Amino acid sequence: MRSTASILHLDLDAFFAAVEQRDKPSLRGKPVIVGGVGLRGVVSTASYEARVFGVGSAMPMHEARRRCPNAAFLAGRFDAYRQASKVVMGLLAELSPLIEPLSLDEAFVDLAAGPARALDEQALVKLAADLRARLTEATGGLTASVGLGSSKFMAKVASELAKPDGVRLVSPGTEAETIADLPARAIPGVGPATMERLSRLGVVRIADLRELSKAELVRELGKAAGEHLFELAYARDDRGVEPERETKSISMEDTFERDLADRQVLARVAEQHAEKVVSRLAKAGLFARTVTVKVRWPDFSSVSRSRTLNGATDRVEVVSQVARALLDGLDVAQGVRLLGVGVSGLVEVAQEPLFDLEVAAPGRVVEEAEAPVSRRPLAWLPGADVVHDDYGRGWVWGSGLGRVTVRFETAETGPGPVRTFALDDPALRLGRDAGSGADEDPPPAQFPEPSAPVP
Ligand code: TTP
Ligand code: MG
């Protein structure tokens, strides 16, 4: 491990929600929840104002609505998130040639590989402060938390301790004591399932892990995970910052303590895996075309089954249904030792028809007749960008019964007025540009219809 705190971890604060608040001035300082709109939709992220009510990532949307009924519930605009992410990653690339993005809003930077290699601690903190200021400026108001440490693990823990909107440097030599009192789940990779196993061994804090032997952890969690956790408990981590590599697949698997033959239990595990996989997909701003299920039998042989969809999806109910169907095609009577769910065929745009399951009603969800497949089909989802010939740019506040309500405001305006239109109002269009943009066909010329005399 290195003796300087030269690994930097940056994580944007309440990323999707912060982009929404930037572009929708009336929502600044208010609870904002971005998430799936489907039947089984879950929260992607909640603004800090909404977190006060106990709303958080991966919570079912209906639960979020119950806890925070007055929040703005938005469907998400991946183009805007991806654009903000590019700006941020560009700033990080100025610090060092060695950066490793983990998702749209999170990356490691190895400062030892760049011009900052010889900086002392004070100068490193200053570098982080400057970075955060430039980031806020360049993104039009987003904030980030930055951690500095002697390893990837410490940098990530430090940024978590710095949240929100702060910097934290963990001095080399103080790592083990810094993490001792943190809950064990603060270790990246320790999720609810691992935590449940650990609590049975009496583990609450990271220091408690040090009471266990490596052999005990390996027995409980498997060789790779057990050994890794044993090292992290003492903050020992020598993984290098890996330059950007393309994400080709995302998967989640679990080895059971006892072989499982109960279809219902297996289906539930497949669903839980699908939820995690989809959450990581969303964090990466990606959509998947192929779903794979992997099963390992008691004799350690494995099979996998895949299905490729007609289009690319980021919807948990789709991934979950396909995974369960694939599982149904396997005879599990002999017992299952390991079950995994994965997605691949990753692309940056959804290609599936976007049906708003929860609110689909005649005339409620409008697909553009010939929506280009090159980008997410547009629909009057809450939060979507719209342009009106007379009122200019705004966003969908709500829709239903053949009408859509729009708030006319942008990042550059103050909070703007609200107006309601018929869904087929020719002056109103979905999208960000006014119609003269390069990737949009010019709108058909509009002539005032002579009002027909009423007979
Ligand atoms: P995070 O960095 O985990 O969360 P965050 O940026 O919203 O909040 P924090 O201030 O705590 O960092 O994830 C980044 C984005 O990824 C988040 O804004 C939305 C998306 N995401 C999902 O879509 N599903 C998830 O389960 C999580 C955790 C994140
Ligand atoms: Mg974040």
Side-chain angles (χ1 to χ4, degrees):
M1 257 172 67
R2 56 183 86 191
S3 56
T4 54
S6 55
I7 297 186
L8 179 150
H9 178 260
L10 176 136
D11 191 318
L12 295 166
D13 300 322
F15 178 40
F16 292 1
V19 171
E20 297 304 334
Q21 289 179 323
R22 176 194 70 186
D23 294 345
K24 299 175 168 65
S26 63
L27 300 183
R28 292 177 195 161
K30 305 241 170 72
V32 171
I33 295 169
V34 179
V37 290
L39 274 180
R40 301 200 38 226
V42 294
V43 173
S44 285
T45 196
S47 70
Y48 281 82
E49 296 85 355
R51 292 184 197 189
V52 174
F53 295 90
V55 178
S57 297
M59 175 180 285
M61 273 305 229
H62 60 81
E63 175 68 15
R65 282 182 199 274
R66 197 182 63 72
R67 292 192 187 207
C68 194
N70 295 322
F73 290 86
L74 308 176
R77 297 174 304 134
F78 279 87
D79 286 347
Y81 309 149
R82 207 172 284 122
Q83 205 178 351
S85 177
K86 284 210 176 94
V87 172
V88 171
M89 297 300 165
L91 291 176
L92 296 182
E94 289 173 17
L95 299 179
S96 167
L98 200 48
I99 72 172
E100 176 179 343
L102 297 177
S103 68
L104 283 181
D105 91 319
E106 199 184 334
F108 289 112
V109 183
D110 190 345
L111 296 173
R117 67 176 63 82
L119 296 184
D120 62 19
E121 289 192 4
Q122 212 183 344
L124 285 171
V125 170
K126 167 112 180 17
L127 174 144
D130 292 347
L131 168 67
R132 293 189 335 106
R134 274 186 294 132
L135 182 151
T136 299
E137 164 104 48
T139 57
L142 303 186
T143 64
S145 299
V146 172
L148 290 154
S150 56
S151 66
K152 282 165 98 168
F153 172 57
M154 275 326 300
K156 173 130 181 155
V157 169
S159 76
E160 205 55 49
L161 293 173
K163 262 193 184 297
D165 200 11
V167 183
R168 175 78 184 259
L169 181 147
V170 176
S171 297
T174 68
E175 293 93 344
E177 84 192 63
T178 303
I179 61 171
D181 285 330
L182 297 178
R185 71 184 134 69
I187 297 178
V190 176
T194 305
M195 206 47 232
E196 201 188 305
R197 289 177 187 191
L198 291 177
S199 24
R200 270 188 262 135
L201 300 175
V203 173
V204 179
R205 303 166 314 140
I206 293 180
D208 300 333
L209 285 167
R210 300 175 194 161
E211 306 292 320
L212 303 175
S213 68
K214 192 191 279 194
E216 278 173 295
L217 281 171
V218 166
R219 196 179 322 129
E220 201 60 34
L221 304 170
K223 187 165 160 60
E227 286 178 357
H228 187 52
L229 198 56
F230 183 77
E231 296 299 317
L232 291 186
Y234 296 89
R236 291 193 292 255
D237 172 28
D238 58 4
R239 292 170 300 159
V241 174
E242 312 245 356
E244 187 167 11
R245 54 197 142 76
E246 211 187 335
T247 309
K248 294 237 168 68
S249 64
I250 295 173
S251 64
M252 193 53 225
E253 58 181 49
D254 213 351
T255 304
F256 305 121
E257 281 172 68
R258 281 173 288 111
D259 297 342
L260 285 179
D262 183 328
R263 279 205 173 276
Q264 275 181 357
V265 175
L266 287 166
R268 183 66 207 126
V269 173
E271 272 173 23
Q272 285 166 356
H273 286 351
E275 276 162 27
K276 288 199 193 121
V277 164
V278 166
S279 153
R280 283 168 56 198
L281 200 57
K283 282 200 71 169
L286 295 169
F287 302 85
R289 293 202 58 200
T290 302
V291 179
T292 302
V293 161
K294 170 176 153 190
V295 166
R296 183 170 296 148
W297 305 114
D299 68 359
F300 283 86
S301 64
S302 318
V303 290
S304 44
R305 292 279 182 274
S306 301
R307 182 172 301 166
T308 296
L309 312 167
N310 289 328
T313 189
D314 68 339
R315 293 159 73 79
V316 68
E317 59 270 39
V318 175
V319 175
S320 180
Q321 263 172 34
V322 175
R324 279 174 36 200
L326 290 169
L327 189 62
D328 280 344
L330 294 170
D331 180 3
V332 297
Q334 59 175 308
V336 169
R337 190 181 154 74
L338 169 151
L339 177 62
V341 172
V343 292
S344 56
L346 306 182
V347 292
E348 285 199 351
V349 282
Q351 296 147 336
E352 65 180 359
L354 190 74
F355 285 113
D356 189 339
L357 300 175
E358 203 165 44
V359 286
R364 168 66 180 75
V365 174
V366 172
E367 294 281 336
E368 283 187 328
E370 285 167 2
V373 287
S374 64
R375 63 160 195 247
R376 182 159 202 145
L378 299 169
W380 302 101
L381 294 173
D385 294 310
V386 299
V387 188
H388 188 280
D389 286 345
D390 303 327
Y391 297 105
R393 284 167 53 187
W395 56 278
V396 173
W397 190 83
S399 67
L401 303 174
R403 279 134 67 86
V404 55
T405 299
V406 175
R407 192 185 271 280
F408 289 99
E409 61 182 5
T410 66
E412 292 80 35
T413 68
V418 171
R419 300 265 184 286
T420 296
F421 306 90
L423 275 178
D424 56 3
D425 189 325
L428 188 67
R429 288 178 307 282
L430 280 159
R432 258 201 117 146
D433 40 54
S436 52
D439 65 72
E440 196 102 310
D441 288 335
Q446 306 267 325
F447 299 104
E449 288 277 313
S451 44
V454 182

